[in-house]
Amino acid sequence: VQLQASGGGLVQAGDSLSVSCAASGRTFSNYAMGWFRQAPGKEREFVAVVDWRGNRKDYADSVRGRFTISRDNANNTLYLLMNNLKPEDTAVYYCTVAVRPYVFSGHSASSFFDYWGQGTQVTVSS
């Protein structure tokens, strides 16, 4: 099982950036997938999650209305489109998959997920 995140980079505040995650080794189209991020000196935090069909989505309050999670099951790829980026969005972004049943409850945590990618750095300058 492998999750390979890519697309990170250095952008300015207000810019947009899209990161993606290529999944392999399993049929991920059956499972919820998500994004977390971790800034220096801080704990990993939830960003967004999408159900296996790509219909149901949930976001952290800090990114709702600016970020959009989506997936392409035919190509086993997860995306995160980030608009109106802020310096506080600077972090390493990790993709993840939940092979156990995922319950959309308005709350998420890293313990709900089972496999993790290596992360991609997103840096937003002011």
Side-chain angles (χ1 to χ4, degrees):
V1 175
Q2 286 192 330
L3 298 171
Q4 182 73 37
S6 63
L10 172 63
V11 297
Q12 293 186 331
D15 284 352
S16 297
L17 187 68
S18 182
V19 293
S20 61
C21 175
S24 62
R26 195 160 182 162
T27 305
F28 288 100
S29 59
N30 296 330
Y31 309 114
M33 296 187 73
W35 289 97
F36 280 68
R37 65 186 182 186
Q38 188 167 18
K42 295 187 177 181
E43 295 196 355
R44 190 171 300 190
E45 65 174 1
F46 167 73
V47 175
V49 61
V50 60
D51 72 354
W52 67 276
R53 291 179 297 181
N55 292 341
R56 187 161 187 180
K57 304 175 183 180
D58 198 12
Y59 297 92
D61 289 342
S62 58
V63 306
R64 186 175 290 113
R66 298 188 297 123
F67 290 12
T68 302
I69 188 171
S70 62
R71 64 191 296 164
D72 178 354
N73 285 341
N75 292 299
N76 269 351
T77 304
L78 178 71
Y79 301 98
L80 184 68
L81 173 61
M82 302 178 285
N83 293 322
N84 191 22
L85 281 160
K86 303 176 181 181
E88 52 263 42
D89 294 318
T90 295
V92 176
Y93 283 72
Y94 297 91
C95 57
T96 183
V97 60
V99 298
R100 292 166 285 164
Y102 186 90
V103 178
F104 283 77
S105 62
H107 166 73
S108 192
S110 57
S111 60
F112 295 2
F113 296 87
D114 303 289
Y115 296 101
W116 296 83
Q118 88 291 353
T120 185
Q121 176 71 47
V122 173
T123 303
V124 185
S125 63
S126 58

